[in-house]
């Protein structure tokens, strides 16, 4: 599997440099698509861009997603929300665990792609390992955060009263530009562990792992539409991510203060919850916690009367 | 869901018709106003002192039940806001955040006790200034406000137990803007958790109902709370805007309309200010055919006519299952005939005065819209006082889901009645709203209750009850009803930063 050291200046990624006299096998290049509703279309706009690595090597013809792609993805995410949020928490946990299994199985492929995108082998290995572990971490939380964030409230009247977290709905996410795999997984996992669905824009300069990760999702029993992955430019799409009326929350992971201001302004349209994860080192221990799940949860409080006909002390 | 009816059976009402044609009347039972001291003029409460407004302007606050002037209060301008924020910042840095948490808690306990000691006075002032029935201000607003301070006082030195593996620290200075429907209670909801978590406060009560917040300032002074920890600025929208836009504010907590909430969200874009917004609502209240009908009718009445319907979580959209719609509507009409509309200070009054002329105009506008849109309007035949702002309890039937009276918040004693056949249909209709503050469901079947309460997208759901509140119970909305919770453990979160414990 050690095929990663040979790079040419073309789009070839898997070239083998051996054999000078035999007919050289032409390698099959991968088309990097986007992922909407469990399917892999190219962008409806027909546009593409070519990210390059530090050596100037072209990575791929990557979809330059449009506003329309985003809107399609929101439709898919909304359609998937009822089913996904209605699944047993245990089942969501199993699916996140399955995602980790599938990611582990493609470990070398992700290391390869990270290295094409300028990571050293050691850094790439570390990132993939952490990404798998992060999925396992949130797989474990799926059926536990509810107990952490719920309460039974001792109201003074004769009522049974309790508060539980519920997913907020459809979340739009602009993933971290660095840590293109680990960052992506770190922001998606708590959102879907909590029963939300999402539309995520991959790292603009390092988009390869996000698309390959979509293939992991597609083979992990994750229902189509729960995670939708677009590639393209935050500068072009950020405003659509935050002003769509059927999106409930937006997560933005960069420090660009102009975009942050714009996002908070536009979020007022339908009072989206907005989160800026701009201080986070995604390799650090603090970059995973149930409080990330809590961000995209709503607290619902339910009241019901308690019958009191026996009078004081009559219940026991 | 349809009930099969026997054709031959003669129509028989299972309701004993209430008799209204007797000569029975309640004698007037006004609460004494002697318990209440209202000064002729109020200044601004800044840094523990009463300070004259920089602009030297005062505005009247009136009794909406009589249109008589009660007092005049200072109009705070930007310079006053500046002074208040500076006082709050000093108090935060030099006193409040350094104080041992248990001492902080004891101050809050002390405020709670003093509210209880002055409960009658606060209730009378609340009713005079806002128009709500004395029964409600006496039995609900004031005791719940005191309880809220009690509840959060105890949290002050226990925050390390609230958020596992996290260290809670205060945000700094909180700017708090509250509405006119529960003036003292909303002040308590805002101030108590802010102080318990170590923040200091600049609070602006609503323009039409400043008096109980100013009474609370007197209590805070009497409680010897360090100067500047709580500052109270009276004024109108501009005063509120000056608080929202002040660079020295770390957090905005706002309760009010969704429209203003959105303005605030835009105004704080580009700053590090955090926000809690508790905004409008259009709660669906659902009655299934197996519900205990009389209890449900009482709950619906309480849901929409409590506090003249000036309640953001009011059950203003009633969904009745078709098979019982006729019966429920008849009972509702009978019941609103028995509601006593009139002098809020009278202990028999069920429905007091509409808070302001402006709000009464808004309600009338919606009554006209409802009629124009083709709904049938039914209002109580009760007489209204000649002076003051009053509105009869009103029910619209044959309301369309798309009708504005079924979609928009009216904030008055106006109920829109719609019908449904199936569970799925009513969930679809109930959730078809930009709001998501509260909801209600009435049924005798436990599994149906949990199905409904789970599927309704709202922050507070009442099953077989409505409009219940408690300091330990988190309150707040989904969707355009805002974000953040007030009350309970969850109500601490909007006032703290959480950092990883090392």
């Amino acid at each position: 599997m050690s095929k990663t050291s040979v790079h040419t200046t073309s789009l070839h990624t898997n070239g083998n440099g051996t054999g000078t006299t035999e007919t050289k096998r032409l390698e099959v290049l991968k088309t990097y698509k986007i992922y909407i509703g469990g399917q892999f279309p190219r962008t409806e706009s027909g546009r593409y861009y070519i990210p390059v690595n530090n050596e100037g090597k072209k990575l791929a013809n990557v979809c330059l997603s449009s506003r329309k792609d985003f809107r399609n993805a929101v439709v898919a995410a909304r359609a998937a929300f009822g089913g996904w949020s209605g699944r047993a928490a245990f089942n969501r946990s199993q699916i996140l665990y399955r995602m980790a299994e599938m990611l582990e199985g493609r470990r070398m492929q992700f290391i390869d792609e990270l290295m094409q995108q300028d990571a050293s082998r050691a850094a790439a290995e570390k990132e993939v390992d952490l990404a798998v572990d992060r999925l396992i971490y949130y797989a474990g939380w799926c059926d536990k955060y509810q107990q952490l964030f719920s309460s039974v409230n001792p109201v003074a009247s004769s009522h049974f009263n309790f508060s539980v977290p519920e997913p907020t709905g459809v979340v739009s996410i602009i993933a971290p530009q660095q840590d293109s795999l680990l960052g992506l997984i770190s922001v998606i996992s708590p959102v879907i562990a909590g029963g939300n669905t999402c539309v995520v824009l991959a790292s603009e300069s390092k988009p390869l792992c996000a698309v390959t990760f979509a293939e992991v999702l597609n083979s992990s029993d994750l229902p189509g539409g729960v995670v939708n992955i677009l590639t393209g430019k935050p500068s072009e799409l950020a405003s659509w991510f935050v002003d769509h009326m059927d999106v409930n929350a937006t997560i933005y992971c960069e420090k660009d203060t102009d975009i942050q201001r714009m996002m908070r302004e536009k979020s007022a349209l339908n009072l989206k919850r907005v989160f800026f994860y701009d201080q986070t080192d995604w390799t650090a221990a603090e970059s995973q916690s149930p409080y990330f799940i809590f961000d995209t949860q709503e607290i619902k409080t339910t009241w019901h009367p308690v019958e009191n006909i026996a009078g004081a002390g009559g219940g026991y | 869901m349809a009930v099969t009816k026997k054709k031959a059976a003669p129509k028989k009402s299972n309701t004993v018709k209430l008799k209204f044609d007797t000569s029975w009347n309640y004698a007037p039972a006004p609460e004494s106003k002697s318990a209440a001291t209202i000064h002729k003029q109020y200044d601004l409460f800044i840094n523990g002192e009463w300070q004259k407004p920089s602009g030297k302007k005062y505005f009247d606050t009136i009794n909406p039940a009589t249109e008589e002037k009660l007092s005049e209060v200072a109009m705070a301008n930007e310079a006053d806001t500046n002074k208040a924020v500076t006082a709050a910042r000093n108090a935060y840095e030099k006193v409040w955040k350094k104080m041992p948490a248990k001492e902080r808690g004891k101050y809050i306990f002390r405020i709670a006790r003093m509210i209880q000691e002055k409960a009658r006075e606060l209730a009378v002032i609340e009713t005079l200034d806002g128009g709500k029935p004395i029964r409600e201000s006496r039995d609900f607003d004031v005791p719940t406000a005191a309880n809220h301070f009690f509840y959060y006082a105890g949290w002050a030195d226990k925050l390390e137990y609230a958020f596992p593996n996290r260290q809670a620290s205060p945000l700094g200075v909180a700017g708090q803007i509250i509405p006119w429907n529960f003036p003292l209670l909303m002040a308590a909801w805002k101030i108590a958790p802010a102080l318990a978590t170590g923040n200091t406060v600049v609070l602006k009560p609503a323009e039409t109902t400043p008096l109980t917040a100013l009474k609370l300032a007197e209590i805070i002074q009497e409680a010897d709370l360090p100067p500047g920890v709580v500052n109270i600025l009276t004024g109108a929208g501009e005063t509120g805007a000056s608080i929202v836009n002040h660079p020295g504010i770390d957090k905005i907590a706002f309760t009010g309309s969704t429209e203003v909430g959105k303005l605030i969200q835009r105004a704080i874009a580009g700053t590090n200010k955090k926000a809690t917004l508790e905004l409008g609502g259009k709660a669906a209240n659902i009655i299934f055919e197996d519900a205990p009908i009389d209890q449900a009718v009482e709950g619906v009445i309480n849901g929409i006519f409590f506090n003249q319907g000036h309640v953001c979580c009011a059950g203003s959209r009633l969904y009745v299952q078709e098979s019982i719609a006729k019966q429920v509507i008849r009972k509702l009409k009978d019941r609103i005939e028995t509601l006593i509309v009139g002098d809020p200070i009278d202990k028999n009054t069920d429905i007091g005065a509409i808070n302001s002329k402006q709000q009464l105009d808004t309600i009338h506008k919606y009554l006209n819209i409802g009629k124009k849109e083709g709904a049938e309007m039914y209002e109580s035949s009760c007489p209204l006082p000649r002076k003051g702002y009053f509105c009869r309890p009103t029910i619209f039937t044959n309301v369309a889901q798309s009708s504005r009276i079924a979609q928009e918040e009216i904030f008055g004693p106006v109920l829109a009645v719609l019908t449904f056949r199936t569970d799925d249909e009513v969930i679809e209709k109930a959730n078809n709203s930009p709001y998501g503050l509260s909801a209600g469901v009435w049924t005798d079947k436990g599994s149906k209750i949990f199905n409904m309460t789970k599927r309704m997208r709202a922050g507070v759901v009442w099953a077989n009850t409505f409009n219940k509140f408690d300091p330990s119970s988190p309150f707040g909305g989904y969707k355009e009803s805002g974000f953040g919770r007030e009350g309970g453990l969850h109500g601490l979160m909007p006032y703290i930063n959480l950092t990883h414990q090392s």
Side-chain angles (χ1 to χ4, degrees), chain A residues 84 87-97 135-147 189-190 192-195 293:
Chain A
W84 182 241
R87 293 237 176 176
F90 179 73
N91 183 244
R92 288 207 301 269
S93 177
Q94 290 200 311
I95 290 173
L96 261 76
Y97 186 79
L135 275 170
I136 301 278
Y137 177 81
Y138 283 108
W141 269 121
C142 286
D143 52 3
K144 295 168 191 69
Y145 70 88
Q146 297 87 342
Q147 290 172 314
S189 305
I192 62 171
I293 301 176

Side-chain angles (χ1 to χ4, degrees), chain A residues 149 153 155-156 161 163 166-168 264 267-269 271 273 289 291 294 298-305, chain B residues 163-164 166 262 265 271 273 279 453-454 456-459 461 463-464 470 473-474 477-479 482 485 490 493:
Chain A
F149 297 126
N153 310 310
V155 295
N161 173 302
S163 301
E166 287 187 347
T168 194
R264 246 179 143 181
S267 71
L269 272 174
L271 291 167
R273 290 79 172 114
S289 92
Y291 294 95
F294 186 78
E298 305 284 337
I299 295 297
K300 174 184 276 181
T301 300
T302 305
W303 293 69
H304 196 279
Chain B
F163 304 103
R166 284 293 182 276
K262 290 179 176 180
Q265 175 79 339
T271 72
K273 289 172 194 170
L279 310 175
T453 56
K454 192 172 180 193
M456 286 196 282
R457 303 287 291 161
V461 184
N464 291 331
D470 193 277
S473 175
Y478 284 29
K479 300 192 278 187
R485 293 291 176 269
H490 300 86
M493 216 155 199

Side-chain angles (χ1 to χ4, degrees), chain B residues 244-434:
Chain B
V244 169
N245 294 322
H246 197 288
I249 295 277
D250 300 296
K251 192 223 159 65
I252 297 292
F254 171 78
T255 297
S257 70
T258 291
E259 188 190 353
V260 176
K262 290 179 176 180
L263 288 176
I264 290 174
Q265 175 79 339
R266 289 195 184 98
I268 61 174
T271 72
N272 289 325
K273 289 172 194 170
K274 296 197 169 190
T276 313
L277 303 175
E278 205 273 88
L279 310 175
K282 191 75 189 179
N285 201 355
I286 303 169
I287 308 182
F288 284 95
E289 60 189 4
D290 68 340
I293 304 284
D294 288 329
Q295 279 178 42
V297 167
E298 277 311 298
V300 169
I301 294 286
N302 175 52
I304 183 62
F305 299 122
F306 177 57
N307 199 29
Q308 296 75 244
H310 301 329
V311 185
C312 44
C313 53
S316 51
R317 276 189 296 157
L318 177 64
Y319 290 96
V320 190
Q321 199 154 26
E322 248 178 40
S323 50
I324 54 164
K326 259 190 177 171
Q327 188 189 2
V328 167
I329 290 167
R330 191 184 66 242
K331 283 179 185 249
L332 284 171
K333 288 178 176 174
D334 286 356
R335 183 67 178 87
I336 63 171
E337 279 295 328
T338 68
L339 294 172
I340 301 171
V341 183
D343 187 2
I345 204 76
D346 191 306
K347 285 175 272 192
N348 291 324
T349 294
D350 295 308
I351 298 183
I354 300 303
N355 185 265
S356 65
K357 174 80 171 54
Q358 193 191 1
Q359 186 56 29
L360 186 60
D361 291 344
T362 302
I363 295 167
H364 284 153
K365 182 189 85 181
Y366 276 107
L367 295 182
N368 284 326
I369 288 171
K371 283 185 278 190
K372 272 188 198 158
E373 286 181 323
E376 284 170 37
M377 184 170 120
Y378 180 86
E379 55 177 8
S380 161
S381 63
C382 66
L384 295 184
R386 279 207 198 105
K387 285 206 92 178
Y389 315 130
F390 289 91
C391 179
R392 293 186 181 88
T394 305
I395 293 173
F396 278 103
T397 55
N398 284 336
V399 180
Q401 174 76 18
S402 59
S403 172
R404 285 181 67 188
I405 56 168
Q407 288 287 331
E408 298 174 18
E409 185 175 44
I410 301 173
F411 228 61
V414 183
L415 178 67
V417 184
L418 301 93
T419 58
F420 70 96
R421 290 184 182 176
T422 69
D423 300 13
D424 285 342
E425 177 194 355
V426 77
I427 280 291
E428 183 79 30
K429 286 177 164 175
N431 286 339
N432 182 352
S433 164

Side-chain angles (χ1 to χ4, degrees), chain A residues 42 48 69 74 81 108 115 131 148 150 169 183 199 205 216 264:
Chain A
R42 290 284 291 182
Y48 66 96
D69 293 318
V74 171
F81 176 64
M108 293 314 295
M115 287 172 67
L148 199 63
S150 292
V199 181
S205 57
V216 167
R264 246 179 143 181

Side-chain angles (χ1 to χ4, degrees), chain A:
Chain A
M1 296 269 279
S2 58
K3 61 192 175 189
T4 54
S5 55
V6 180
H7 292 312
T8 64
T9 53
S10 73
L11 288 180
H12 291 215
T13 57
N14 295 339
N16 68 53
T18 58
T20 47
T21 52
E22 295 165 49
T23 311
K24 200 171 151 187
R25 179 182 178 272
L26 185 66
E27 72 173 316
V28 179
L29 296 180
K30 172 168 164 177
T31 306
Y32 283 85
K33 299 187 178 186
I34 54 180
Y35 186 55
I36 297 176
Q39 304 202 304
F40 290 91
R42 290 284 291 182
T43 168
E44 64 80 35
S45 69
R47 305 178 308 164
Y48 66 96
Y49 71 108
I50 305 173
V52 294
N53 67 12
N54 286 344
E55 295 162 11
K57 187 179 106 54
K58 297 171 179 175
L59 296 175
N61 295 318
V62 176
C63 290
L64 187 56
S65 301
S66 65
R67 181 187 187 184
K68 176 67 175 160
D69 293 318
F70 174 68
R71 294 165 65 121
N72 291 342
V74 171
V75 170
R78 177 59 64 189
F81 176 64
W84 182 241
S85 60
R87 293 237 176 176
F90 179 73
N91 183 244
R92 288 207 301 269
S93 177
Q94 290 200 311
I95 290 173
L96 261 76
Y97 186 79
R98 181 71 178 159
M99 283 160 54
E101 286 180 349
M102 291 296 104
L103 184 60
E104 178 86 34
R106 290 174 174 241
R107 189 169 177 276
M108 293 314 295
Q109 185 183 1
F110 280 99
I111 291 171
D112 176 33
E113 283 182 345
L114 285 170
M115 287 172 67
Q116 285 178 54
Q117 298 172 112
D118 301 323
S120 68
R121 171 168 289 279
E125 285 176 350
K126 186 185 167 199
E127 182 165 350
V128 176
D129 291 349
L130 273 173
V132 174
D133 291 355
R134 190 135 300 165
L135 275 170
I136 301 278
Y137 177 81
Y138 283 108
W141 269 121
C142 286
D143 52 3
K144 295 168 191 69
Y145 70 88
Q146 297 87 342
Q147 290 172 314
L148 199 63
F149 297 126
S150 292
S151 59
V152 173
N153 310 310
V155 295
S157 52
S158 184
H159 291 91
F160 178 55
N161 173 302
F162 61 97
S163 301
V164 292
E166 287 187 347
T168 194
V170 175
V171 182
S172 64
I173 305 171
I174 296 181
Q177 295 300 302
Q178 298 303 318
D179 300 324
S180 65
L181 176 66
L182 179 61
L184 180 84
I185 286 171
S186 299
V187 291
I188 291 176
S189 305
V191 166
I192 62 171
N196 299 284
T197 58
C198 65
V199 181
V200 57
L201 181 62
S203 167
E204 179 182 352
S205 57
K206 303 175 191 297
L208 301 188
C209 293
V211 178
T212 306
F213 184 62
E215 295 158 13
V216 167
L217 299 176
N218 198 43
S219 54
S220 301
D221 298 327
L222 186 77
V226 174
V227 174
N228 304 275
I229 299 178
L230 305 181
T231 51
K233 296 180 185 301
S235 57
E236 198 178 68
L237 292 172
S239 71
W240 312 129
F241 268 58
V242 78
D243 78 356
H244 195 294
M245 292 298 278
D246 206 23
V247 171
N248 299 91
T250 299
I251 293 169
Y252 177 62
C253 303
E254 298 304 313
K255 283 184 180 155
D256 188 323
T257 50
D258 288 340
I259 290 185
Q260 288 190 354
R261 170 193 286 268
M262 177 277 290
M263 287 191 138
R264 246 179 143 181
E265 269 172 15
K266 291 206 169 182
S267 71
L269 272 174
N270 64 342
L271 291 167
K272 275 177 204 73
R273 290 79 172 114
V274 182
F275 304 95
F276 301 135
Y277 295 159
D278 56 358
Q279 303 296 322
T280 312
D281 168 9
W282 296 108
T283 62
E286 305 89 75
S287 62
Q288 58 179 25
S289 92
Y291 294 95
F292 283 107
I293 301 176
F294 186 78
D295 279 347
T296 47
Q297 298 291 304
E298 305 284 337
I299 295 297
K300 174 184 276 181
T301 300
T302 305
W303 293 69
H304 196 279
V306 176
E307 190 177 63
N308 201 17
I309 50 173
Y316 295 100

